[in-house]
mmCIF file of all heavy atoms in Angstrom:
data_model
loop_
_atom_site.group_PDB
_atom_site.id
_atom_site.type_symbol
_atom_site.label_atom_id
_atom_site.label_comp_id
_atom_site.label_asym_id
_atom_site.label_seq_id
_atom_site.Cartn_x
_atom_site.Cartn_y
_atom_site.Cartn_z
ATOM 1 N N HIS A 19 -2.311 38.917 -43.121
ATOM 2 C CA HIS A 19 -1.862 37.554 -42.848
ATOM 3 C C HIS A 19 -2.928 36.817 -42.040
ATOM 4 O O HIS A 19 -3.191 37.173 -40.885
ATOM 5 C CB HIS A 19 -0.533 37.566 -42.082
ATOM 6 C CG HIS A 19 0.570 38.195 -42.862
ATOM 7 N ND1 HIS A 19 1.217 37.533 -43.875
ATOM 8 C CD2 HIS A 19 1.132 39.425 -42.791
ATOM 9 C CE1 HIS A 19 2.130 38.318 -44.396
ATOM 10 N NE2 HIS A 19 2.102 39.482 -43.757
ATOM 11 N N LYS A 22 -2.108 35.554 -38.506
ATOM 12 C CA LYS A 22 -2.166 36.538 -37.412
ATOM 13 C C LYS A 22 -3.529 36.491 -36.740
ATOM 14 O O LYS A 22 -3.637 36.478 -35.513
ATOM 15 C CB LYS A 22 -1.888 37.930 -37.965
ATOM 16 C CG LYS A 22 -2.147 39.058 -36.991
ATOM 17 C CD LYS A 22 -2.015 40.400 -37.673
ATOM 18 C CE LYS A 22 -2.691 41.484 -36.866
ATOM 19 N NZ LYS A 22 -2.768 42.740 -37.575
ATOM 20 N N SER A 25 -4.041 33.067 -34.933
ATOM 21 C CA SER A 25 -3.229 33.021 -33.719
ATOM 22 C C SER A 25 -3.845 33.873 -32.606
ATOM 23 O O SER A 25 -3.919 33.439 -31.448
ATOM 24 C CB SER A 25 -1.816 33.506 -34.036
ATOM 25 O OG SER A 25 -1.035 33.525 -32.884
ATOM 26 N N PRO A 37 -10.080 29.574 -17.329
ATOM 27 C CA PRO A 37 -10.781 29.656 -16.041
ATOM 28 C C PRO A 37 -11.986 28.709 -15.962
ATOM 29 O O PRO A 37 -12.307 28.196 -14.898
ATOM 30 C CB PRO A 37 -11.220 31.114 -15.937
ATOM 31 C CG PRO A 37 -11.008 31.722 -17.265
ATOM 32 C CD PRO A 37 -10.098 30.852 -18.049
ATOM 33 N N LYS A 41 -11.603 24.017 -12.977
ATOM 34 C CA LYS A 41 -12.210 23.142 -11.963
ATOM 35 C C LYS A 41 -12.152 21.667 -12.351
ATOM 36 O O LYS A 41 -12.320 20.793 -11.511
ATOM 37 C CB LYS A 41 -13.641 23.567 -11.657
ATOM 38 C CG LYS A 41 -14.621 23.429 -12.800
ATOM 39 C CD LYS A 41 -15.991 23.952 -12.374
ATOM 40 C CE LYS A 41 -16.928 24.038 -13.558
ATOM 41 N NZ LYS A 41 -18.217 24.627 -13.176
ATOM 42 N N ILE A 52 -9.307 19.012 -25.949
ATOM 43 C CA ILE A 52 -9.433 18.624 -27.361
ATOM 44 C C ILE A 52 -9.477 17.109 -27.479
ATOM 45 O O ILE A 52 -10.270 16.547 -28.240
ATOM 46 C CB ILE A 52 -8.271 19.207 -28.197
ATOM 47 C CG1 ILE A 52 -8.315 20.728 -28.189
ATOM 48 C CG2 ILE A 52 -8.273 18.645 -29.602
ATOM 49 C CD1 ILE A 52 -9.540 21.338 -28.810
ATOM 50 N N LEU A 54 -10.385 15.005 -25.078
ATOM 51 C CA LEU A 54 -11.611 14.531 -24.460
ATOM 52 C C LEU A 54 -12.802 14.731 -25.394
ATOM 53 O O LEU A 54 -13.620 13.816 -25.573
ATOM 54 C CB LEU A 54 -11.821 15.263 -23.136
ATOM 55 C CG LEU A 54 -12.665 14.578 -22.076
ATOM 56 C CD1 LEU A 54 -12.270 13.134 -21.859
ATOM 57 C CD2 LEU A 54 -12.567 15.353 -20.771
ATOM 58 N N ARG A 73 -4.575 16.149 -34.927
ATOM 59 C CA ARG A 73 -3.457 16.740 -35.655
ATOM 60 C C ARG A 73 -2.350 17.244 -34.726
ATOM 61 O O ARG A 73 -1.834 18.348 -34.887
ATOM 62 C CB ARG A 73 -3.944 17.833 -36.597
ATOM 63 C CG ARG A 73 -4.779 17.286 -37.730
ATOM 64 C CD ARG A 73 -5.304 18.373 -38.635
ATOM 65 N NE ARG A 73 -5.886 17.849 -39.847
ATOM 66 C CZ ARG A 73 -7.140 17.448 -39.976
ATOM 67 N NH1 ARG A 73 -7.947 17.479 -38.942
ATOM 68 N NH2 ARG A 73 -7.581 17.003 -41.136
ATOM 69 N N THR A 79 0.282 13.818 -27.666
ATOM 70 C CA THR A 79 -0.870 12.953 -27.409
ATOM 71 C C THR A 79 -0.629 12.087 -26.181
ATOM 72 O O THR A 79 -1.485 11.994 -25.295
ATOM 73 C CB THR A 79 -1.163 12.068 -28.636
ATOM 74 O OG1 THR A 79 -1.451 12.914 -29.758
ATOM 75 C CG2 THR A 79 -2.345 11.142 -28.388
ATOM 76 N N GLU A 87 -5.705 10.377 -17.934
ATOM 77 C CA GLU A 87 -5.803 9.124 -17.189
ATOM 78 C C GLU A 87 -5.568 9.381 -15.693
ATOM 79 O O GLU A 87 -6.300 8.874 -14.837
ATOM 80 C CB GLU A 87 -4.782 8.123 -17.737
ATOM 81 C CG GLU A 87 -5.003 6.699 -17.290
ATOM 82 C CD GLU A 87 -4.157 5.722 -18.081
ATOM 83 O OE1 GLU A 87 -3.028 6.064 -18.501
ATOM 84 O OE2 GLU A 87 -4.629 4.594 -18.270
ATOM 85 N N ILE A 92 -10.056 9.097 -18.494
ATOM 86 C CA ILE A 92 -9.940 8.057 -19.516
ATOM 87 C C ILE A 92 -9.278 6.817 -18.923
ATOM 88 O O ILE A 92 -8.669 6.871 -17.860
ATOM 89 C CB ILE A 92 -9.119 8.506 -20.743
ATOM 90 C CG1 ILE A 92 -7.659 8.748 -20.350
ATOM 91 C CG2 ILE A 92 -9.750 9.703 -21.432
ATOM 92 C CD1 ILE A 92 -6.682 8.698 -21.501
ATOM 93 N N GLU A 99 -6.844 -6.485 -31.580
ATOM 94 C CA GLU A 99 -6.421 -6.643 -32.973
ATOM 95 C C GLU A 99 -4.918 -6.442 -33.144
ATOM 96 O O GLU A 99 -4.296 -7.060 -33.991
ATOM 97 C CB GLU A 99 -7.164 -5.655 -33.889
ATOM 98 C CG GLU A 99 -8.666 -5.824 -33.920
ATOM 99 C CD GLU A 99 -9.359 -5.071 -32.790
ATOM 100 O OE1 GLU A 99 -8.808 -4.093 -32.250
ATOM 101 O OE2 GLU A 99 -10.473 -5.488 -32.426
ATOM 102 N N ILE A 149 -9.894 25.756 -46.058
ATOM 103 C CA ILE A 149 -8.554 26.131 -45.588
ATOM 104 C C ILE A 149 -7.900 24.945 -44.895
ATOM 105 O O ILE A 149 -6.731 24.632 -45.147
ATOM 106 C CB ILE A 149 -8.631 27.363 -44.658
ATOM 107 C CG1 ILE A 149 -9.000 28.613 -45.463
ATOM 108 C CG2 ILE A 149 -7.316 27.569 -43.904
ATOM 109 C CD1 ILE A 149 -9.358 29.814 -44.620
ATOM 110 N N ARG A 168 13.978 9.523 -48.099
ATOM 111 C CA ARG A 168 14.721 8.800 -47.049
ATOM 112 C C ARG A 168 15.467 7.632 -47.626
ATOM 113 O O ARG A 168 15.227 6.974 -48.496
ATOM 114 C CB ARG A 168 13.778 8.317 -45.961
ATOM 115 C CG ARG A 168 13.316 9.449 -45.104
ATOM 116 C CD ARG A 168 12.512 8.934 -43.931
ATOM 117 N NE ARG A 168 11.944 10.090 -43.241
ATOM 118 C CZ ARG A 168 10.914 10.030 -42.467
ATOM 119 N NH1 ARG A 168 10.309 8.910 -42.219
ATOM 120 N NH2 ARG A 168 10.461 11.114 -41.873
#
Side-chain angles (χ1 to χ4, degrees):
H19 297 282
K22 170 187 162 189
S25 178
K41 65 183 171 184
I52 297 297
L54 205 48
R73 293 178 169 86
T79 300
E87 194 168 33
I92 66 159
E99 299 86 24
I149 290 169
R168 286 187 188 159

